[in-house]
Amino acid sequence: EVQLVESGGGLVQPGGSLRLSCAASGFIFSNYDMNWVRQAPGKGLEWVSEVSGSGGTTYYADSVKGRFTISRDNSKNTLYLQMNSLRAEDTAVYFCATGPTNWGQGTLVTVSS
Amino acid sequence: DIVMTQIPLSSVVTLGQPASISCRSSQSLVHSDGTTYLSWLQQRPGQPPRLLIYKVSNRFSGVPDRFSGSGAGTDFTLKISRVEAEDVGVYYCTQTTQLPYTFGQGTKLEIK
């Protein structure tokens, strides 16, 4: 059974940093591109970033480009999202996902003073 | 970016009656490999999204056959043949043909 478990969310001040993790199991992790998708409170879904299976190629939404960094450790079956220079508008539940197919439960990031 | 537009944004349906959601993309979702990467997701209250339909019309594992998807090019439809109480939630179409991947605004389905 595919499992994706996010962690690392929390309350952070504007301008601060946070690193999210997503532990994957139940599939060959290195074979899959991985994504982060976020959902602001009461709002819809927004794609954030994607990393290729090897980790060598990354893509970002314009809203996070230059501030967020996606990475993965295939030896640990773990996906990461390093978030710097956080803003109030980054407040959201962050999901890791294998494309549209499998989703984690999400981790809440709140950016507030 | 490809804009995904869903209609309606809200729907109230009587138990056992059909429901239909339309999704239109601002450009063709046919990939250079010939595949149309249009999916439908269901998000129940307090839950993460769940894949229902992929590549326009393929039901994901475990999805009841009352859910069906159709369409081509830029116009797509999700149909529920007979709505059940557990179908309450928000439904999203999403395209993974072209980066950045984009989602429709969501359609909230309620039961009467």
Side-chain angles (χ1 to χ4, degrees):
Chain A
E1 179 195 1
V2 172
Q3 281 204 322
L4 299 169
V5 180
E6 302 92 338
S7 60
L11 174 63
V12 61
Q13 292 188 339
S17 298
L18 215 52
R19 188 175 87 152
L20 306 183
S21 299
C22 171
S25 60
F27 63 105
I28 303 174
F29 182 66
S30 58
N31 284 358
Y32 288 83
D33 299 344
M34 294 295 297
N35 290 264
W36 288 100
V37 175
R38 68 185 180 183
Q39 186 171 37
K43 302 297 184 182
L45 300 167
E46 179 190 16
W47 175 81
V48 172
S49 184
E50 179 180 82
V51 61
S52 62
S54 67
T57 305
T58 58
Y59 303 95
Y60 299 93
D62 287 345
S63 57
V64 307
K65 202 173 294 182
R67 301 187 298 123
F68 290 11
T69 302
I70 192 172
S71 63
R72 63 194 297 161
D73 185 336
N74 286 344
S75 69
K76 296 182 178 178
N77 287 355
T78 302
L79 174 71
Y80 302 101
L81 186 68
Q82 177 67 42
M83 304 186 295
N84 299 330
S85 303
L86 282 161
R87 307 166 180 167
E89 55 265 35
D90 295 318
T91 294
V93 174
Y94 285 74
F95 299 101
C96 70
T98 60
T101 309
N102 298 291
W103 297 71
Q105 289 292 317
T107 186
L108 176 62
V109 172
T110 304
V111 184
S112 174
S113 54
Chain B
D1 298 3
I2 297 177
V3 177
M4 307 295 286
T5 303
Q6 288 182 226
I7 296 173
L9 298 183
S10 180
S11 181
V12 183
V13 182
T14 301
L15 271 174
Q17 292 301 301
S20 180
I21 301 170
S22 171
C23 175
R24 179 167 290 179
S25 57
S26 60
Q27 55 188 272
S28 173
L29 298 185
V30 180
H31 193 273
S32 56
D33 67 7
T35 302
T36 300
Y37 293 100
L38 183 283
S39 303
W40 289 95
L41 308 172
Q42 176 196 59
Q43 188 173 31
R44 291 170 172 152
Q47 294 294 311
R50 165 200 179 200
L51 179 64
L52 296 176
I53 303 286
Y54 64 98
K55 295 181 191 176
V56 181
S57 59
N58 297 275
R59 258 189 313 276
F60 190 55
S61 174
V63 175
D65 61 7
R66 63 178 183 276
F67 290 93
S68 64
S70 63
T74 62
D75 286 285
F76 306 93
T77 302
L78 175 70
K79 291 183 179 177
I80 309 173
S81 59
R82 294 173 305 280
V83 169
E84 297 190 6
E86 66 179 17
D87 299 336
V88 166
V90 180
Y91 292 78
Y92 296 93
C93 60
T94 178
Q95 66 82 19
T96 50
T97 293
Q98 175 183 307
L99 285 161
Y101 305 142
T102 49
F103 298 86
Q105 317 96 301
T107 296
K108 186 174 185 179
L109 181 66
E110 296 175 295
I111 305 297
K112 194 186 323 180

